Amino acid sequence: MALKGLQAPPTSGGHIWSRELGEMKANVKDVLVLSAAEGLRSPLCGMCVPGNGNMTPLVLSCLFVLLQLSGSLALVVTPGDMAVLEGRSVTVPCHYDPQYIHHVKYWCQGRIKDFCTTLARSHHDMGDALTAGNRVSIFDDPTQLVFTVTMMDLTEADSGWYWCGVEVDGMWHADDAASLHVSVIHGMSVLNSRVHGEEGDSIDVLCQYSVRHRESEKKWCRSGDWNSCVKTDSNGTFRNEAVEIQDDQWESFTVTLRNAQRRDTGWYWCGSGQQQVAVHVNVTPRATTTPSVVTDPTTLVTEVMKSSDPTMRTEAAAPPARGLVQQQHNAWMPPLVIGLGLLLLLLGILATQKLWRHYKRSRAAREQEEMESSLTVCPVREADWKNTAIVFLNTSTQQLQVLGKDKYNF
């Protein structure tokens, strides 16, 4: 049974180690044992050991600590902390020193190595994978000096510290192990945040999502324009002349830009529910090395360089992406209809007001004419008109009219 010392999770190292490191570890142990047996002075313990071989408790304590320190040399290395989407799988490579080819490897969970829970172990005579439970497997590849651990169908409860460990036999030897932290997160990610292709090609974008988004509709939008989004139907598909979306309704959906054009270049994002992740698409002109007929060799070289070097080409600004243009134009329709409706309403109000004013003027003119026609001269004798004047009062115009007999001839 190996004697294990308490170790806090060390900082994950790189992939650099050598056989000399293992030899140095063995030499340190040999020197410590020789010092205890022969009574030599240990520079690290700072005391003399009696020549008769009797070791004091303090010497034993120093020896135990030094052995643990020698066992903490980085002979097992992990790639570092990892983040994984909920519902997906993760594979962790654990590299080890050549002296551990025939040793048992294991994968355990817990912040402190000596109290961690073992989830999977390899067989010391076999390199094939042995599964512990239904979600964790381990595979040892001695030719590459690495064993890999795979955890499937992860949940947020699987977040925590894990250890890649190698069992080391012997009473005075502690297991060699390296730790890493696995974070299981909820959201979305993309396989490549920047994709590119040539004109006329089909460009694929793989968008991944966690288990909580399996039932959500998936979206593909041009960044900065919410009205440009295209969405999947109940079967998880969408298709038009420029864009195709296929959702496996389990962990990812694929967006395909068909017959890509230069105007498709730009930032997009794929989304599910309230989550989204940005993707940049770059469409370049199709490369050609067959220029038009040129007689001057210098001009021929220049034309070939321009056709292959993007920095020497001058292109007009790319128009909006295909497949999203119609929806962008439709976005202007509601404001335009509302503006036309308001304009027609204003014109109707002005016309009504003008007609009402015209009606009032016409009515006033008719009333005045009727009043004037109703005023008539009463018949009288001719003698009564002599030295007499008739006064008519027009109430509508408040004017006095004096009529003499010269005006009315009787």
Side-chain angles (χ1 to χ4, degrees), residues 38-283:
E38 298 182 358
L40 299 177
R41 178 182 296 275
S42 172
L44 296 177
C45 289
M47 64 172 294
C48 291
V49 181
N52 57 7
N54 295 326
M55 294 185 294
T56 64
L58 183 58
V59 175
L60 289 174
S61 300
C62 292
L63 186 59
F64 177 77
V65 171
L66 292 174
L67 287 174
Q68 295 304 316
L69 291 175
S70 65
S72 65
L73 298 176
L75 300 181
V76 177
V77 183
T78 64
D81 298 343
M82 308 181 72
V84 189
L85 287 176
E86 183 182 21
R88 299 185 62 84
S89 302
V90 62
T91 299
V92 181
C94 304
H95 301 267
Y96 55 84
D97 191 82
Q99 62 179 307
Y100 294 144
I101 289 180
H102 300 292
H103 288 240
V104 174
K105 287 79 178 179
Y106 60 89
W107 174 258
C108 66
Q109 181 181 17
R111 187 171 184 84
I112 299 178
K113 177 175 72 68
D114 297 272
F115 298 100
C116 65
T117 302
T118 301
L119 302 179
R121 292 168 57 88
S122 67
H123 196 282
H124 67 280
D125 293 330
M126 300 175 61
D128 56 343
L130 298 177
T131 301
N134 295 325
R135 299 195 305 125
V136 184
S137 62
I138 187 171
F139 178 80
D140 186 14
D141 185 2
T143 59
Q144 299 294 327
L145 298 177
V146 61
F147 67 94
T148 56
V149 178
T150 300
M151 296 194 301
M152 299 176 292
D153 197 19
L154 293 172
T155 64
E156 290 183 339
D158 294 320
S159 298
W161 287 97
Y162 291 86
W163 293 83
C164 296
V166 176
E167 289 187 353
V168 181
D169 299 329
M171 182 176 186
W172 298 100
H173 301 273
D175 290 353
D176 278 322
S179 68
L180 75 157
H181 189 273
V182 176
S183 301
V184 181
I185 60 177
H186 162 68
M188 292 195 63
S189 66
V190 289
L191 183 63
N192 294 309
S193 60
R194 291 180 177 269
V195 295
H196 60 86
E198 295 183 346
E199 283 184 302
D201 292 344
S202 293
I203 302 177
D204 293 332
V205 179
L206 181 62
C207 305
Q208 303 169 329
Y209 52 85
S210 60
V211 63
R212 300 184 187 183
H213 292 285
R214 287 175 179 172
E215 302 299 327
S216 303
E217 67 176 7
K218 310 309 183 296
K219 296 176 288 188
W220 174 255
C221 308
R222 185 136 194 174
S223 182
D225 186 1
W226 286 85
N227 295 317
S228 67
C229 297
V230 292
K231 304 176 183 179
T232 57
D233 55 19
S234 58
N235 296 323
T237 60
F238 174 85
R239 183 184 179 92
N240 63 15
E241 73 281 358
V243 180
E244 180 178 356
I245 303 177
Q246 187 66 44
D247 181 18
D248 63 10
Q249 298 183 333
W250 185 254
E251 62 181 12
S252 65
F253 65 94
T254 302
V255 179
T256 302
L257 302 180
R258 306 167 60 195
N259 191 23
Q261 303 297 322
R262 287 295 308 277
R263 61 176 177 267
D264 296 330
T265 298
W267 282 99
Y268 297 80
W269 53 265
C270 48
S272 177
Q274 300 299 320
Q275 299 288 331
Q276 61 266 342
V277 59
V279 182
H280 186 266
V281 177
N282 184 29
V283 182

Side-chain angles (χ1 to χ4, degrees), residues 299-370:
T299 307
L300 176 61
V301 173
T302 304
E303 293 295 331
V304 173
M305 292 178 62
K306 287 185 177 180
S307 64
S308 60
D309 188 0
T311 60
M312 300 181 66
R313 292 190 296 266
T314 58
E315 300 286 346
R322 300 169 302 113
L324 308 179
V325 176
Q326 184 63 37
Q327 297 191 21
Q328 293 176 1
H329 289 332
N330 292 340
W332 292 97
M333 292 301 295
L336 182 60
V337 172
I338 294 174
L340 290 176
L342 292 176
L343 180 59
L344 292 176
L345 179 61
L346 180 60
L347 292 176
I349 293 174
L350 293 176
T352 302
Q353 186 177 11
K354 188 172 182 179
L355 289 174
W356 175 251
R357 290 178 179 176
H358 182 268
Y359 170 76
K360 289 178 66 177
R361 294 194 191 100
S362 300
R363 182 178 178 182
R366 286 197 305 270
E367 291 178 353
Q368 182 177 357
E369 292 176 359
E370 292 175 358

Side-chain angles (χ1 to χ4, degrees), residues 371-394:
M371 181 64 69
E372 290 178 355
S373 62
S374 63
L375 295 175
T376 58
V377 179
C378 298
V380 295
R381 295 190 301 264
E382 182 178 356
D384 295 336
W385 283 96
K386 294 179 179 180
N387 301 321
T388 302
I390 300 175
V391 178
F392 293 91
L393 177 61
N394 190 339

